Amino acid sequence: MVKILAIANQKGGVGKTTTGINLAASLVAVGKRVLLVDLDPQGNTTMGSGVDKRGLQQTIYHVLLGEQPITEVRVVSTPGKYDLIPANQELAGTEVEMVNLEQRETRLKTALQPVKEEYDFILMDCPPSLNLLTLNGLCAAHSVVIPMQCEYFALEGLSDLVNTIRKVRLNFNPTLKIEGLLRTMFDPRNVLAKQVSDQLQQHFGNKVYRTVIPRNVRLAEAPGFGVPVLFHDKLSKGAQAYLALAKEIMGAAA
């Protein structure tokens, strides 16, 4: 049974793309079949997966507009060994072009139907805003992984995202739930980070992943080489943390 996860947070710079790439590679490393969908016009997930977004003829843009089936757009991330639906700047105009299309909120869900049984996990990296692309991700997902930094403004943004998930559940996807909150770029020496982490655990309990992603130089370097951190420095704290997260998510899915 495939598990479809949207990786979402309307706040930028919290580690959504890093999580998408490295969780996908880590799930493959422990024997799972994975599809990663890039829903962000910046195309950072695509580049970080070792695929040059500038040379792409077909992307998720063409899938959402109904111009290509997902099987024609799918490529393989050579370093990560997972399948990828890539994106580039072309995607930025999708919202305007989708305004008058039928079932605009569920086009990704429909597009995934023919291929979803080929995978154990489908991950979707959503853009840092609550727009139509993110909405498509939330409508297609079984649940949401929320990466967040442990800082004051992150808590404010979290309440907005929880409200959005609630609205999506009411209007489009009644079974959507929060899969887990992932603490990213965590520095245990930072008093505020520890305080916010404690608050998260008080409010969300076992919805907060036990795995914590630390601040890690190797994690920051890996996208520059177009590889997941697992293939940049397997023994780094960042690589080991994402492997631990993959196993935690697999345990929850079992």
Side-chain angles (χ1 to χ4, degrees):
M1 182 76 179
V2 64
K3 193 168 184 69
I4 305 175
L5 302 175
I7 301 169
N9 191 329
Q10 77 274 24
K11 194 174 187 303
V14 297
K16 285 188 300 297
T17 297
T18 298
T19 295
I21 293 167
N22 291 294
L23 178 56
S26 296
L27 285 166
V28 169
V30 293
K32 297 301 177 183
R33 301 165 301 163
V34 180
L35 174 66
L36 179 59
V37 182
D38 191 352
L39 285 172
D40 192 337
Q42 294 180 84
N44 290 337
T45 293
T46 299
M47 295 292 278
S49 298
V51 176
D52 189 349
K53 65 183 179 182
R54 294 163 295 195
L56 293 169
Q57 298 300 312
Q58 298 171 141
T59 67
I60 187 66
Y61 167 82
H62 300 93
V63 173
L64 292 173
L65 292 183
E67 295 175 5
Q68 289 290 346
I70 211 159
T71 49
E72 293 298 311
V73 174
R74 179 172 53 183
V75 296
V76 176
S77 166
T78 303
K81 299 181 177 62
Y82 50 80
D83 287 351
L84 173 75
I85 307 300
N88 59 20
Q89 194 58 40
E90 228 179 348
L91 191 58
T94 309
E95 282 210 79
V96 176
E97 295 180 59
M98 286 173 68
V99 163
N100 296 318
L101 295 180
E102 288 184 13
Q103 299 176 317
R104 59 185 181 181
E105 301 89 358
T106 57
R107 295 182 76 83
L108 178 60
K109 181 179 182 178
T110 302
L112 287 171
Q113 290 298 326
V115 300
K116 68 178 188 178
E117 298 307 323
E118 298 176 30
Y119 299 101
D120 299 304
F121 286 89
I122 296 175
L123 310 178
M124 297 171 292
D125 179 29
C126 299
S129 58
L130 300 176
N131 60 16
L132 191 53
L133 293 169
T134 298
L135 185 55
N136 263 267
L138 295 176
C139 288
H142 297 139
S143 50
V144 189
V145 174
I146 306 173
M148 58 181 296
Q149 285 182 263
C150 289
E151 55 184 35
Y152 173 73
F153 288 118
L155 289 174
E156 280 199 346
L158 181 60
S159 63
D160 292 340
L161 182 56
V162 169
N163 284 333
T164 298
I165 292 169
R166 190 177 295 122
K167 288 174 185 173
V168 171
R169 194 184 297 132
L170 283 171
N171 296 296
F172 302 107
N173 186 356
T175 59
L176 184 67
K177 62 179 184 177
I178 294 175
E179 179 74 18
L181 279 74
L182 178 64
R183 292 162 287 176
T184 60
M185 295 176 254
F186 190 77
D187 183 351
R189 298 167 299 180
N190 185 315
V191 175
L192 177 60
K194 291 186 77 174
Q195 289 173 344
V196 173
S197 177
D198 290 343
Q199 282 183 276
L200 283 176
Q201 289 175 306
Q202 285 170 20
H203 288 292
F204 291 93
N206 61 7
K207 287 292 184 186
V208 180
Y209 288 117
R210 295 188 306 276
T211 304
V212 176
I213 309 300
R215 282 199 178 274
N216 183 247
V217 173
R218 293 292 188 245
L219 264 180
E221 289 173 348
F225 294 93
V227 298
V229 70
L230 203 56
F231 303 99
H232 179 54
D233 185 350
K234 184 177 181 176
L235 298 178
S236 67
K237 288 182 178 179
Q240 292 302 307
Y242 276 109
L243 276 171
L245 177 65
K247 291 171 184 173
E248 187 174 349
I249 287 174
M250 282 169 54

